[in-house]
Amino acid sequence: MTSGSAALAVRPALKWVFVTLLAIFALWALEDRVNQPPEPMVHVWEDSPYSSVSFGRSHVQAMKMVDVGVANAQAAADTYSDQWMMHERLAGQYLMRAALSGSFDDYAGAERALTAAFKVAVPKSGPHMMHAKLDFSMHRLAGAEANLAAMDRYAVRPGTGERAEMAAMRGDIAFYRGQYRDALAFYDQADALVPGTSIFRRAIYAARTGAVDQADALFAREIAEQQPPVPQVRAYLELQRGILDLDRGRLNEAMAHFRDADRIFPGHWLIEEHMAEVLTLQGKTGEAEVRYRDIVRRTGHPEFLDALAAIAEQRGDIVEARRLYAEAWVIWQRRIAQFPQAAYGHAIDHCIAKRDWPCALQLAEKNHAARPFGEAKVILAQALLGNGRAAEARTLIEAVLASPWRTADLHRVAAMIYTATGMPTEAAAQARQARAINPLS
């Protein structure tokens, strides 16, 4: 490692900026009790301006409801095992639960159900859209693309709504391959078929290409147009608006959005962990640690063990930090074995936090191979620099600078790379651009 790379800062946690499961949630939740065996449990849901009888108004309620849905769908799939749509329904329920739990085991349940569906489906039929959504969620872009291509070969052409979603998903695939112009063209196709299909996607695109105010307006529009106003979806969109502020260093504004999200759909660890991140950045590490420990207790997710380790390291408790990092790494390895492409991008942060640059580079290369978009290139450049390969890092970061991608992380890493390669003027310019986007950079 070079002297310049030795001082590399720990990279901020990757943001959970795109969940294709929201579309699945809307598709299945209204039908999850139609033509199914009797429910093993009966629940009474609280009245709320943000919910209906079909949707829970809190994370706890929604989890209970989707547990019922999984149980009923499993019973139906067992009873009618020769009907691929029963297995597809089960896969959809697992994916809905995955959106709430973040558990790789739920994604694995969806994959098992889809495998069973294709075993009984006749040629030119089957749950290709559902499989495409699973593949995309697991960062398997080629698999998602193949499933969409299979739908093009159906004997009966997919309906307008389905074709719109297919075009939008192709835009998503192009975006994560770094093919930004193609992504926008596919979003145009989707919106031409069904206006508004790509609002959320365009917001993500705008957020990562320097049009943050436009992204916020698009998220606000999506919130206004949500029908019915599903709590989980409304809260997730409010969370995205908070992330925009967090990425600009507007901590108070970000926290306000996160609190709104928590009010709309209380108890979701995904919202709470962003609140803990803000508390950490505000120097309120004691409050953040309490929140992170509660999230770890409820989820067991390794990224929050890493967050606790960073807090312990900051206060000088190296022994505790090492223990927590070791505990997290065991889980990261399990996730990498289960769904490697989906795990690489987040596990890189673990390696960087430990300053294990060979580990970071190995994962960054695999992550970039899976999804070679701007964020993956930036973190690969940082990992190259951490391993003393500054010239390669500079070539890669300059390729990102020549693209539409514009984030504080891009300019922050570019500044470090230019410093390491003896280009102080360029380094200073990049540092200024990073701080212009996020003064905390």
Side-chain angles (χ1 to χ4, degrees):
M1 184 185 304
T2 66
S3 59
S5 60
L8 287 175
V10 175
R11 180 173 173 271
L14 288 170
K15 300 298 184 292
W16 300 49
V17 296
F18 200 87
V19 177
T20 59
L21 302 181
L22 296 179
I24 297 169
F25 190 92
L27 173 66
W28 287 93
L30 291 174
E31 302 177 338
D32 63 357
R33 289 165 182 80
V34 179
N35 297 321
Q36 291 192 12
E39 295 185 356
M41 300 175 64
V42 177
H43 299 286
V44 178
W45 314 115
E46 298 176 14
D47 291 333
S48 165
Y50 299 102
S51 66
S52 70
V53 4
S54 300
F55 305 103
R57 73 166 300 276
S58 71
H59 187 263
V60 169
Q61 287 181 350
M63 282 295 293
K64 288 178 180 177
M65 293 176 78
V66 80
D67 284 347
V68 170
V70 169
N72 288 342
Q74 183 66 68
D78 292 342
T79 301
Y80 306 104
S81 59
D82 60 337
Q83 298 181 26
W84 66 261
M85 287 185 288
M86 295 295 103
H87 299 289
E88 180 189 39
R89 179 178 296 278
L90 177 58
Q93 292 292 334
Y94 268 119
L95 286 176
M96 284 166 55
R97 191 160 74 182
L100 291 164
S101 69
S103 170
F104 275 29
D105 290 340
D106 285 330
Y107 290 113
E111 187 152 66
R112 288 194 303 271
L114 290 170
T115 298
F118 279 110
K119 284 182 179 179
V120 297
V122 299
K124 296 187 178 181
S125 72
H128 291 98
M129 175 61 83
M130 189 69 73
H131 208 305
K133 290 183 180 295
L134 172 63
D135 280 335
F136 183 80
S137 298
M138 296 293 95
H139 302 177
R140 300 183 306 211
L141 302 186
E145 191 171 47
N147 275 290
L148 295 175
M151 296 176 71
D152 289 331
R153 298 190 292 271
Y154 280 178
V156 178
R157 190 183 188 197
T160 301
E162 204 164 27
R163 293 202 310 276
E165 182 63 16
M166 290 167 66
M169 287 194 68
R170 285 183 165 121
D172 298 339
I173 291 167
F175 176 80
Y176 285 102
R177 282 179 172 159
Q179 299 163 349
Y180 305 117
R181 184 177 299 176
D182 291 344
L184 291 175
F186 279 121
Y187 295 156
D188 287 344
Q189 288 181 27
D191 287 337
L193 288 165
V194 178
T197 298
S198 300
I199 296 173
F200 182 84
R201 277 108 167 177
R202 292 182 190 279
I204 295 297
Y205 183 96
R208 293 296 175 259
T209 55
V212 183
D213 289 337
Q214 179 187 351
D216 188 57
L218 287 167
F219 285 134
R221 177 184 166 192
E222 183 79 354
I223 290 172
E225 295 184 8
Q226 278 293 310
Q227 291 297 329
V230 182
Q232 184 182 351
V233 176
R234 293 285 296 270
Y236 183 76
L237 291 166
E238 199 64 46
L239 174 70
Q240 292 304 314
R241 298 186 72 187
I243 289 172
L244 294 180
D245 281 324
L246 183 58
D247 286 345
R248 288 188 284 184
R250 301 177 180 179
L251 302 184
N252 293 334
E253 292 88 342
M255 185 64 92
H257 282 297
F258 298 154
R259 285 178 176 149
D260 281 345
D262 189 55
R263 174 182 57 83
I264 294 167
F265 190 65
H268 197 342
W269 54 269
L270 181 58
I271 298 167
E272 292 172 357
E273 69 98 349
H274 281 86
M275 296 170 78
E277 184 177 355
V278 171
L279 289 169
T280 302
L281 291 170
Q282 290 175 330
K284 302 174 183 177
T285 53
E287 293 179 54
E289 184 172 7
V290 170
R291 285 186 177 271
Y292 278 130
R293 288 195 182 280
D294 183 56
I295 295 168
V296 167
R297 177 186 60 79
R298 286 150 49 201
T299 69
H301 292 347
E303 52 265 54
F304 309 129
L305 286 166
D306 286 334
L308 285 170
I311 291 172
E313 193 171 28
Q314 183 179 345
R315 68 168 177 259
D317 192 346
I318 304 304
V319 172
E320 174 67 359
R322 287 175 178 169
R323 184 191 70 78
L324 289 165
Y325 280 135
E327 186 178 346
W329 183 237
V330 171
I331 304 172
W332 281 123
Q333 288 177 301
R334 189 183 310 136
R335 287 189 168 200
I336 291 169
Q338 198 169 14
F339 288 107
Q341 294 94 335
Y344 291 146
H346 297 286
I348 296 167
D349 290 331
H350 170 90
C351 298
I352 290 179
K354 293 193 304 182
R355 300 167 187 80
D356 184 346
W357 293 108
C359 167
L361 180 57
Q362 181 184 42
L363 294 178
E365 288 175 335
K366 292 177 179 178
N367 181 57
H368 183 263
R371 300 198 307 171
F373 71 127
E375 184 178 87
K377 291 183 186 299
V378 170
I379 197 166
L380 176 56
Q382 183 173 355
L384 286 165
L385 182 60
N387 282 273
R389 295 163 60 176
E392 294 170 74
R394 179 181 152 193
T395 298
L396 185 57
I397 208 70
E398 288 181 342
V400 187
L401 289 168
S403 79
W405 194 264
R406 286 296 176 271
T407 63
D409 264 0
L410 164 62
H411 297 298
R412 177 182 61 82
V413 173
M416 292 189 295
I417 290 170
Y418 282 131
T419 296
T421 53
M423 303 175 68
T425 302
E426 291 81 357
Q430 290 299 317
R432 284 194 299 271
Q433 290 187 63
R435 289 192 296 272
I437 297 172
N438 183 349
L440 302 180
S441 293

